[in-house]
Amino acid sequence: MNEREQASWTRARLGRSGPPLDLLTARFARHVYAPHAHEELTVGVTVGGLEVIAYRGGRIHSGPGSIVVLEPGEMHTGGPAAPDGYAYRALYADPSLLGDGTVGGIPHFREPVLDDPELARALRAAHTDIARCPDPLEAESRLPWLLTALARRHSTARATDDIVPGADRIAHAVRDRLADELLAPPSLADLAAELGLSRYQLLRAFRTTMGIPPYAWLAQYRVHRARRLLESGLRPAEVAGLVGFADQAHLTRWFRRVLAVTPAAYRNSVQDTGT
C-alpha cells in the first residue's frame, strides 16, 4: 500500500487481562469500503480531507475535526469525497462501555456526524497515544471515560449523578494499590468492583480528588521512582522495566513530560554534579 493508501490496526486491552478494543489509523485516496456492518460501536475522528459515507439510506460527509458514530449492525460504506482523499482515526467499542455513567439503556445516536471540537481533540489524542503504546491502564483510564462523555453529550441516554460519596477515600485507596503494584497494576474494573462502584464512579472520584486520571498519576509516580534509580547509576534501558514502563521510549516520553529532559540527560547531569 502506498503512502496515500495506509491502514494500521492496534489492539489495546482495557486493563490487565481486560477486554480488547481495536484502534484503526487510516489514510485513503482511492479505497472505498464495500457495504458492511460492525458488531461494535464505531467512533471515528476525521483528521484530514473529506469522507463520504452511505448510512441509514442517505449520504453523510465528514471533514477535519468531525466525530463519526456508526451504531452496531448498521450497514454502511465509506470512501473519499475529494481527490486528495481523507484520513481518520477510529475505535471499535462494545456498546456496553457507553452505559457506564448513563441511564436509559444502551445509548442511541440519532446523528452520525457530531460537531464537538473539544471531544474530537481528546479522542484523537487518546487514540494516537494508545496506538503508539497500548498500555492497559492508560487505555482503561482514557477510552471508557471519553466514550461515556460521548454518550452523555450526544446520545439519547441521560447522565448519572456525578457526586461520588467518599471520593477522597476512594482515590487514596486506588492510588495506594497502583503504587504497591506498579509493575502490573490491577484493572480499574477490578478495583471498582472491590469498592462496590462502577468504573466511571471510580474514575470520577480519582480525577476529582487527584486532578489527573489514574494512568497519569501512576506514570508520574514511576518517573519519580526512575529518578532514584538513574541517580544510582543505572541506565535508562534498565530503569524502564524496573519501574513498570513498557520500554525505554515509554519511560523517555513520560520523563520529558514530567521533568522536561530525557532520562539519559538527567542521569548525566546528576552524575556530573556528583549528586
Side-chain angles (χ1 to χ4, degrees), residues 260-271:
V261 296
T262 66
Y266 179 81
R267 178 176 180 266
N268 291 338
S269 67
V270 296
Q271 288 181 333

Side-chain angles (χ1 to χ4, degrees), residues 3 6 10 12 16 41 48 63 90 106 124-125 135 143 146 150 154 161-162 170-171 198 203 212 243 253 269 272-273:
E3 64 180 13
Q6 298 178 343
T10 302
R16 181 160 52 101
L41 181 84
I106 298 297
R124 179 178 179 177
D135 176 77
L143 297 179
L146 292 174
L150 179 72
H154 299 289
D161 188 349
D162 277 344
I170 293 164
S198 71
L203 284 166
I212 53 177
V243 298
R253 188 156 62 249
S269 67
D272 289 344
T273 60

Side-chain angles (χ1 to χ4, degrees), residues 125-151:
H127 189 290
T128 299
D129 292 343
I130 294 166
R132 178 169 52 186
C133 182
D135 176 77
L137 182 65
E138 181 170 2
E140 191 180 19
S141 294
R142 297 179 77 175
L143 297 179
W145 180 264
L146 292 174
L147 290 171
T148 296
L150 179 72

Side-chain angles (χ1 to χ4, degrees), residues 23-189:
L23 308 171
L24 171 64
T25 302
R27 175 182 297 277
F28 296 127
R30 295 184 303 274
H31 177 73
V32 177
Y33 286 102
H36 66 288
H38 302 284
E39 294 181 356
E40 309 93 343
L41 181 84
T42 303
V43 179
V45 177
T46 305
V47 300
L50 187 66
E51 181 184 13
V52 59
I53 303 169
Y55 186 71
R56 292 178 178 166
R59 291 166 68 83
I60 58 176
H61 291 80
S62 174
S66 295
I67 299 173
V68 177
V69 181
L70 306 178
E71 295 195 326
E74 292 275 10
M75 197 66 64
H76 62 280
T77 67
D84 290 340
Y86 68 105
Y88 69 102
R89 312 283 186 270
L91 60 84
Y92 300 83
D94 189 302
S96 64
L97 287 174
L98 284 77
D100 195 5
T102 63
V103 293
I106 298 297
H108 169 61
F109 294 85
R110 294 191 179 99
E111 298 297 329
V113 179
L114 307 173
D115 180 21
D116 189 332
E118 178 188 26
L119 185 55
R121 286 192 296 270
L123 284 166
R124 179 178 179 177
H127 189 290
T128 299
D129 292 343
I130 294 166
R132 178 169 52 186
C133 182
D135 176 77
L137 182 65
E138 181 170 2
E140 191 180 19
S141 294
R142 297 179 77 175
L143 297 179
W145 180 264
L146 292 174
L147 290 171
T148 296
L150 179 72
R152 289 161 67 103
R153 294 185 188 188
H154 299 289
S155 81
T156 56
R158 302 188 310 279
T160 57
D161 188 349
D162 277 344
I163 297 174
V164 183
D168 288 358
R169 173 185 56 80
I170 293 164
H172 292 145
V174 173
R175 178 199 64 187
D176 292 346
R177 282 288 300 278
L178 295 178
D180 289 343
E181 302 177 44
L182 83 165
L183 296 182
S187 75
L188 300 180

Side-chain angles (χ1 to χ4, degrees), residues 203-227:
L203 284 166
R204 170 64 66 182
F206 196 96
R207 293 170 70 109
T208 299
T209 302
M210 310 302 292
I212 53 177
Y215 82 94
W217 183 89
L218 182 59
Q220 295 186 33
Y221 180 76
R222 286 168 168 166
V223 166
H224 293 306
R225 292 283 295 269
R227 286 182 66 184

